[in-house]
Amino acid sequence: MNGAETLLRTLMNAGVDTCFANPGTSEMHFVAALDRVRGMRPVLGLFEGVVAGAADGYARMADKPAATLFHLGPGLGNGLSQLHNAMRARTPVVNVVGEHATWHRQYETPLASDVEAYARPVSGWLRTCASPRLLAADTRAAVKAAYGPPGQIASLILPADCSWGEADDPAPPVQRPRRPSVDPAALEAVARVLGSGEPVVMLMNGAAVRADGLHAASRIAATTGATVLADTFTARLERGAGRSPIQRFPRYPDQGAALLREARHLVLVETVPPVGFFAYPDQPSWLTPESCAIHTLAAPGDDAVAALEALCDMLGAREDSASIQPLAVPEPATGELSPESVGQSVAALLPEHAIVADEAVTSRGGLPEATAGCPPHDWLSLTGGALGGGLPMAIGAAVACPDRQVLCLQADGAGMYNVQSLWTMARERLDTTVVVYANRSYRILHNEFQRLGLGEVGESARQLMNIGDPDLDWVSLATGMGVEAHRIETIEAFNTHFAAAMREPGPRLLEVVL
Amino acid sequence: MNGAETLLRTLMNAGVDTCFANPGTSEMHFVAALDRVRGMRPVLGLFEGVVAGAADGYARMADKPAATLFHLGPGLGNGLSQLHNAMRARTPVVNVVGEHATWHRQYETPLASDVEAYARPVSGWLRTCASPRLLAADTRAAVKAAYGPPGQIASLILPADCSWGEADDPAPPVQRPRRPSVDPAALEAVARVLGSGEPVVMLMNGAAVRADGLHAASRIAATTGATVLADTFTARLERGAGRSPIQRFPRYPDQGAALLREARHLVLVETVPPVGFFAYPDQPSWLTPESCAIHTLAAPGDDAVAALEALCDMLGAREDSASIQPLAVPEPATGELSPESVGQSVAALLPEHAIVADEAVTSRGGLPEATAGCPPHDWLSLTGGALGGGLPMAIGAAVACPDRQVLCLQADGAGMYNVQSLWTMARERLDTTVVVYANRSYRILHNEFQRLGLGEVGESARQLMNIGDPDLDWVSLATGMGVEAHRIETIEAFNTHFAAAMREPGPRLLEVVL
């Protein structure tokens, strides 16, 4: 058995059965081995950002890593921004990067590159395989490392001769690691703080913002008066009817600082202290006041849900004290086509267990609020701020959950970064519905320009912040990649086409012209 | 004057007057300053690969660097593969990367990233500005470093507070550096080798493959019997009628080794010894036989043209001994539509001083041979092997040379990597004609699969090497980004539309269905 086959069989033994790939010559033995290893699903991306973002979305929903396959340093380079988002989401990824044969790396060939240097900014674990004899063990170590906890990107660099050389048998299955329990002393300390009557803000992310964690946190809030918030960006938030709702920490630093002004205690649950997304000349980046003590209940990857439930017991927070979101589904909107009316109509029609991949940036109006009472659904955010995550995350989520409807809320500017994603949606016949908010500008840059006090936007600046002239025609773009698409200019048309998209399988794109 | 304005004015003083950009919030002061600095042309790319590849194509034709503008590590990450190609072409690039304000970098914000780590794999020079007071000097140093010689990527990382802080005056102009003269001893040694009567192969790249260098090398070949070759991939090859033609070193290692088998001397002119592009299990990567001595006439960046002309004098190579390509323009093809007939028709219609951005990979049939006798033109190759360079290089070349026709030969698979380039062609109304060879597969991977002896392509492998199902519709893709496009299914249609594209201004795309 050659190295590539051992690698693939080791992945399969570990339950890693999906590989998002954009291969090149140095990966041909890996590609050939796919034909000999039953059950490994290869998914092609026409660009590496698609591959990386899909691996992120997949693992957020599957709760296990996918493998990637990249071609040398430059191929990996194309995937880095979406791996950055995955890193910030603490997503497990087994990141396989092909490399020249060991003896070939010394030469100045066109594609010679320092693959480790490319991988380092996003990798929590990084190893270059030195021999096909080591590949089974290296692959197993990569899967273990990817799981964490917390999840991380484990980059296994695979020289071509390690792929084609004779290898040992595949490695045995990897036990999915347990999350470490929270230290009883930390529990005691936080229980004291919550029982003190002083103002407490509890900020949560990771597993804490799924149903069980939210439920426990809501009991704590009801019992103690603590303010419970989710981070501005979360990897996967479970919400909707029957779940405990949660507000997000505000995005802008002045709003964040205002929220924390009266707090005497900040309790962190799988997150770090809040700071501004960007710096501004006259505003502090660090938002926690001096007078506010910081307590870590659970570090990222710790068993936060068990800790929150233990706190409930310690504080006597009754099971029925949790706030539960009632089902509240509006009628489809009428009147003007706007982000608000689109939000209402989405809320009217969003099916149970939908997955929302949210990269609407500035465009989605009140959609999160409008959908708060929809049937239960999952919400995936752009955790690392690197544009282009929406479409590929939707791919990954749809591959992980073929029985669920995936809705991608996509700003037009951000959607262009990995626009090739549409082709993979068509190729794999994924049940993804993409709503493009076409406002013809990097609206967020206009907002930031104003927040920074830069005054009037002149002609050169306008050139860099508007993406009209020419307008993108998303219907043509989608059609060109095999995805059925419709231009939406009235709310009635949106209602009709969105309902059809929810009802019928396969990918669809609706370009909402704003 | 703030830092951003000093930076821009320093660039202008140095003759750097074009900025390919994809900015974000941390670059807003740079964007605002563009409105205050006359003459700096901002060109927006909707994806960073477009920005990087355009900067590469621009400098290859302008013989001076453009500036880029990227947004933090992940934004730069998206540009790395095309910067890799630029690095291999020894293209000068002033690579400006925005970064969080200095005091903000310590925090774990969504976009926090080690920008230097991202930049390192492609940068010959790398500096993070530490204060707006240093920005004028840092910018000047970056321009000097970019020039080399040889040209390189000079990455200047620009924290937001260095951009918005009060800065000193712009730095004075940068003298374009002279290429170092070749050591007389090296000249003597190579002259002796060339005069020895033993078999010599002279391999050239850089300035040596422009008109003057080719002419001198041709005189040397005629006088001494040496075999003169260009590297397989060259940044910019000047060719066509009136110039001295040159063959390229073959791509595959078995062919390269065969070519060098009888050579007793290998003379390097702005290049390194040839090695295989990829490794193969049973073939050597290093192609120069033990019995062949290696002599460096000119290292990359040295004054190779002066050295070749000095050799002519030393060897008594007469001015009129050079081989000169006669004008030889075929009629437009008739018959079947094929890569060969397309090549003939392109040759029939290619205008004088056209610039060919070549990323046709496996598809272009005999086009290079067919166009050998066309009016003089320039040929830009994919120097670093990172797919996606064709379209953005065409942008850069067209921005650098607005009076010249740019022809992009584009394989369909490779064209998808930076497909967003089409929008910039439309936005800037560039005179670019894109010929897409639509074969619906990564044909090169099929070739490599066979070369590696991997036998029959199975279903999983086919999934990763074919890009049909669904077929890409390049006419829709181009139209969606504002570029007029035509599907070509007969050679007559090609002749009509290609002639119109050569005649009329503005971008056009022809999808040749193979």
Side-chain angles (χ1 to χ4, degrees):
Chain A
M1 179 178 320
N2 71 15
E5 190 170 337
T6 277
L7 188 163
L8 286 169
R9 291 193 187 283
T10 299
L11 290 176
M12 288 294 297
N13 284 350
V16 178
D17 58 8
T18 303
C19 178
F20 298 97
N22 185 269
T25 297
S26 40
E27 292 75 57
M28 283 299 98
H29 286 79
F30 185 114
V31 169
L34 283 166
D35 282 322
R36 295 193 300 277
V37 179
R38 290 268 142 226
M40 177 63 73
R41 177 176 181 183
V43 178
L44 176 62
L46 298 184
F47 180 69
E48 293 89 345
V50 181
V51 168
D56 185 10
Y58 174 91
R60 294 194 198 191
M61 292 311 305
D63 277 330
K64 66 178 187 177
T68 59
L69 182 63
F70 294 108
H71 181 47
L72 302 164
L76 174 59
N78 286 336
L80 285 180
S81 70
Q82 296 315 312
L83 290 174
H84 170 89
N85 284 337
M87 175 180 76
R88 287 276 177 259
R90 309 191 199 283
T91 300
V93 178
V94 179
N95 188 43
V96 182
V97 189
E99 164 63 306
H100 284 314
T102 49
W103 71 79
H104 199 68
R105 285 185 295 193
Q106 64 190 302
Y107 301 120
E108 189 179 326
T109 59
L111 271 166
S113 54
D114 183 344
V115 185
E116 290 197 354
Y118 274 87
R120 203 160 283 123
V122 297
S123 301
W125 182 97
L126 174 58
R127 186 179 297 172
T128 300
C129 181
S131 153
R133 301 293 305 276
L134 299 172
L135 195 47
D138 285 349
T139 304
R140 188 166 188 275
V143 176
K144 283 189 68 154
Y147 268 121
Q152 60 183 351
I153 295 166
S155 294
L156 176 61
I157 299 171
L158 180 63
D161 52 331
C162 296
S163 207
W164 70 51
E166 186 63 23
D168 290 351
D169 287 342
V174 173
Q175 290 299 318
R176 182 181 298 226
R178 293 173 58 90
R179 289 170 164 256
S181 296
V182 165
D183 188 328
L187 271 178
E188 293 283 353
V190 171
R192 261 197 311 278
V193 160
L194 286 164
S196 70
E198 295 182 328
V200 178
V201 171
M202 189 153 76
L203 188 64
M204 316 211 298
N205 207 331
V209 298
R210 300 212 194 159
D212 291 345
L214 292 169
H215 189 263
S218 178
R219 290 162 64 192
I220 294 167
T223 305
T224 67
T227 301
V228 177
L229 296 168
D231 270 340
T232 315
F233 303 95
T234 50
R236 177 179 171 187
L237 177 71
E238 294 185 343
R239 68 197 295 268
R243 290 172 174 165
S244 296
I246 190 167
Q247 297 291 315
R248 289 183 188 274
F249 195 84
R251 170 170 174 156
Y252 286 106
D254 46 352
Q255 302 160 348
L259 190 147
L260 291 176
R261 193 160 297 133
E262 307 302 326
R264 296 297 309 278
H265 301 278
L266 174 66
V267 174
L268 303 174
V269 187
E270 289 207 64
T271 190
V272 294
V275 281
F277 193 121
F278 289 109
Y280 298 89
D282 304 316
Q283 292 183 40
S285 296
W286 178 261
L287 303 180
T288 310
E290 281 297 318
S291 53
C292 178
I294 298 176
H295 314 267
T296 296
L297 174 65
D302 285 352
D303 192 350
V305 175
L308 290 166
E309 289 174 346
L311 276 180
C312 285
D313 292 342
M314 295 163 78
L315 294 162
R318 294 206 329 274
E319 182 75 28
D320 63 1
S321 64
S323 159
I324 302 294
Q325 172 68 48
L327 185 71
V329 175
E331 289 298 305
T334 56
E336 291 291 302
L337 182 71
S338 69
E340 289 67 30
S341 63
V342 166
Q344 180 181 330
S345 290
V346 167
L349 297 161
L350 194 72
E352 191 170 4
H353 302 313
I355 302 162
V356 179
D358 177 11
E359 199 185 24
V361 192
T362 60
S363 303
R364 54 177 153 68
L367 195 145
E369 295 74 14
T371 53
C374 285
H377 58 277
D378 290 74
W379 198 281
L380 315 183
S381 301
L382 193 73
T383 48
L387 294 185
L391 294 170
M393 274 201 296
I395 291 172
V399 169
C401 304
D403 300 332
R404 299 172 66 172
Q405 173 65 236
V406 177
L407 170 62
C408 179
L409 304 175
Q410 185 60 65
D412 55 353
M416 285 302 289
Y417 286 72
N418 289 306
V419 67
Q420 305 91 338
S421 301
L422 295 170
W423 181 86
T424 298
M425 292 180 184
R427 157 68 75 93
E428 300 291 329
R429 288 140 182 98
L430 302 177
D431 201 6
T432 47
T433 299
V434 179
V435 174
V436 173
Y437 292 87
N439 65 16
R440 321 300 191 196
S441 87
Y442 292 131
R443 180 71 50 83
I444 194 167
L445 296 189
H446 282 277
N447 295 351
E448 297 283 353
F449 203 90
Q450 296 316 318
R451 285 190 79 85
L452 287 160
L454 288 165
E456 199 69 23
V457 175
E459 185 47 38
S460 289
R462 196 184 335 270
Q463 282 280 104
L464 294 183
M465 300 200 290
N466 287 358
I467 63 172
D469 182 22
D471 284 347
L472 294 162
D473 176 345
W474 281 89
V475 174
S476 287
L477 293 173
T479 307
M481 289 184 263
V483 171
E484 182 183 331
H486 302 277
R487 178 166 300 106
I488 304 295
E489 295 176 311
T490 67
I491 189 68
E492 287 73 25
F494 182 82
N495 294 343
T496 302
H497 287 294
F498 190 75
M502 293 298 104
R503 200 169 52 230
E504 293 158 19
R508 194 131 344 163
L509 181 143
L510 307 182
E511 178 181 15
V512 177
V513 179
L514 296 173
Chain B
M1 180 178 319
N2 71 14
E5 190 171 337
T6 276
L7 187 164
L8 286 169
R9 291 193 186 283
T10 300
L11 290 176
M12 288 295 297
N13 283 351
V16 178
D17 58 8
T18 303
C19 178
F20 298 97
N22 185 268
T25 297
S26 40
E27 293 75 57
M28 282 299 99
H29 286 80
F30 185 113
V31 168
L34 284 165
D35 282 322
R36 295 193 300 275
V37 179
R38 289 269 142 226
M40 177 63 73
R41 178 177 180 182
V43 178
L44 176 63
L46 297 186
F47 180 69
E48 293 89 344
V50 181
V51 168
D56 185 10
Y58 174 92
R60 294 193 198 191
M61 292 311 304
D63 278 330
K64 66 177 187 178
T68 58
L69 181 62
F70 293 109
H71 181 48
L72 302 163
L76 174 60
N78 285 337
L80 285 179
S81 70
Q82 296 315 312
L83 290 173
H84 171 89
N85 284 336
M87 175 181 76
R88 286 278 176 256
R90 308 189 200 284
T91 301
V93 177
V94 179
N95 189 41
V96 182
V97 189
E99 163 64 304
H100 283 313
T102 48
W103 71 80
H104 198 69
R105 285 185 296 194
Q106 65 189 302
Y107 301 119
E108 190 179 325
T109 59
L111 272 165
S113 54
D114 183 345
V115 185
E116 290 197 354
Y118 274 86
R120 203 162 282 123
V122 297
S123 301
W125 182 96
L126 174 58
R127 186 178 297 172
T128 300
C129 182
S131 152
R133 301 292 305 276
L134 298 171
L135 194 48
D138 284 350
T139 305
R140 188 166 188 276
V143 176
K144 282 189 69 156
Y147 269 121
Q152 60 184 352
I153 295 165
S155 293
L156 176 60
I157 299 171
L158 180 63
D161 52 330
C162 297
S163 208
W164 70 52
E166 187 63 23
D168 290 352
D169 286 342
V174 173
Q175 289 300 316
R176 182 182 299 229
R178 293 173 59 90
R179 289 170 163 258
S181 297
V182 165
D183 187 328
L187 269 178
E188 293 283 352
V190 170
R192 262 197 311 277
V193 161
L194 285 163
S196 69
E198 295 183 328
V200 178
V201 171
M202 188 153 76
L203 188 62
M204 314 210 299
N205 206 330
V209 298
R210 301 214 194 159
D212 291 345
L214 292 168
H215 190 261
S218 178
R219 290 162 65 193
I220 294 167
T223 305
T224 66
T227 301
V228 177
L229 296 168
D231 270 339
T232 315
F233 303 96
T234 49
R236 177 178 170 187
L237 177 71
E238 294 186 343
R239 67 197 296 269
R243 290 170 174 167
S244 296
I246 190 166
Q247 298 291 316
R248 289 182 188 273
F249 195 85
R251 170 171 174 155
Y252 287 107
D254 47 352
Q255 302 161 346
L259 190 148
L260 290 176
R261 192 160 298 132
E262 307 301 325
R264 296 297 308 280
H265 302 278
L266 174 65
V267 175
L268 302 174
V269 188
E270 288 206 64
T271 190
V272 295
V275 281
F277 193 119
F278 289 109
Y280 298 89
D282 305 316
Q283 293 184 39
S285 296
W286 178 259
L287 304 179
T288 311
E290 281 296 317
S291 53
C292 178
I294 297 176
H295 315 268
T296 296
L297 175 64
D302 285 353
D303 193 350
V305 175
L308 290 166
E309 289 174 345
L311 276 180
C312 286
D313 292 343
M314 295 161 78
L315 294 162
R318 293 207 328 275
E319 182 74 29
D320 63 2
S321 65
S323 159
I324 302 294
Q325 172 69 49
L327 186 71
V329 175
E331 290 298 305
T334 56
E336 292 292 302
L337 181 71
S338 68
E340 289 67 31
S341 64
V342 166
Q344 181 181 328
S345 290
V346 167
L349 297 162
L350 194 71
E352 190 170 4
H353 303 314
I355 303 163
V356 180
D358 178 12
E359 199 185 24
V361 192
T362 59
S363 305
R364 54 177 154 65
L367 195 147
E369 296 74 13
T371 53
C374 284
H377 58 277
D378 291 73
W379 198 281
L380 316 183
S381 300
L382 193 74
T383 48
L387 295 185
L391 293 170
M393 275 201 295
I395 291 173
V399 169
C401 305
D403 301 331
R404 298 171 68 172
Q405 174 65 236
V406 177
L407 170 62
C408 179
L409 304 174
Q410 186 60 65
D412 55 353
M416 284 303 288
Y417 286 72
N418 289 306
V419 67
Q420 306 89 339
S421 300
L422 295 169
W423 180 87
T424 298
M425 292 180 183
R427 157 70 73 95
E428 300 291 329
R429 287 136 182 102
L430 302 176
D431 202 6
T432 47
T433 299
V434 180
V435 174
V436 173
Y437 293 87
N439 66 15
R440 321 297 189 195
S441 87
Y442 292 131
R443 182 69 52 83
I444 193 165
L445 295 189
H446 282 276
N447 296 351
E448 296 284 353
F449 202 90
Q450 296 316 317
R451 286 190 80 85
L452 287 160
L454 288 166
E456 199 71 21
V457 175
E459 184 47 37
S460 289
R462 197 185 334 273
Q463 281 279 102
L464 295 183
M465 300 200 290
N466 287 357
I467 63 172
D469 182 23
D471 285 349
L472 293 162
D473 176 346
W474 280 89
V475 174
S476 286
L477 293 174
T479 307
M481 288 182 265
V483 171
E484 182 183 329
H486 303 278
R487 180 167 298 107
I488 303 295
E489 294 175 312
T490 67
I491 189 68
E492 289 74 23
F494 182 82
N495 294 343
T496 303
H497 286 294
F498 189 76
M502 293 298 106
R503 203 169 51 231
E504 293 158 19
R508 192 119 3 150
L509 181 143
L510 307 182
E511 179 182 16
V512 177
V513 179
L514 297 173

